[in-house]
Amino acid sequence: MDYTIFTLAGLGFLGILLHNLIKLNELNRKNEGTINLGKYWKLERFSIAISIIVVVIGLIARTEIKAFERLGNWMGFTFVTLGYMAQSIVVTFMGKAQKYLSSKENE
């Protein structure tokens, strides 16, 4: 199946929405049905922005990353997953980069 850039963007944003709905569901259950969406937005707005940026980067780089080409019919699922896991991917990558830079400074 050939996915358009708009379809992939939509799937990536649905992954971000899915991630946040799961978090909201957990908070809602923990607080017995009372949740403050304004407070949630204030706490999570930067995480959501990071996720959106990662999806956009994925859209831009999709033709450059050879692994994406091999996905074929799985490209849609990949973008949902990318949106869902975007913040974790960036935090992990930045942590590894920080460790690498710290080890170079110590040498």
Side-chain angles (χ1 to χ4, degrees):
M1 176 175 187
D2 290 328
Y3 291 98
T4 67
I5 192 167
F6 299 110
T7 303
L8 293 174
L11 290 168
F13 296 142
L14 283 173
I16 295 169
L17 179 62
L18 177 64
H19 178 82
N20 284 283
L21 287 174
I22 289 171
K23 289 170 77 173
L24 284 167
N25 184 48
E26 290 172 7
L27 288 171
N28 191 44
R29 291 179 186 276
K30 187 176 182 180
N31 294 315
E32 298 176 359
T34 57
I35 190 163
N36 185 337
L37 291 176
K39 185 176 180 181
Y40 179 82
W41 170 250
K42 284 181 183 178
L43 290 172
E44 294 294 325
R45 62 184 175 210
F46 298 112
S47 298
I48 294 168
I50 289 168
S51 298
I52 291 169
I53 290 169
V54 170
V55 169
V56 169
I57 290 170
L59 290 168
I60 293 168
R62 77 186 189 288
T63 57
E64 297 172 4
I65 301 172
K66 297 297 180 193
F68 277 175
E69 291 176 11
R70 293 190 300 261
L71 293 172
N73 291 338
W74 292 95
M75 184 73 90
F77 180 73
T78 300
F79 270 82
V80 171
T81 304
L82 182 64
Y84 183 83
M85 296 180 1
Q87 181 187 358
S88 301
I89 292 168
V90 170
V91 169
T92 300
F93 177 75
M94 292 306 294
K96 288 181 181 182
Q98 185 62 41
K99 281 183 185 178
Y100 176 77
L101 292 174
S102 294
S103 69
K104 288 295 182 186
E105 287 177 359
N106 291 335
E107 289 179 0

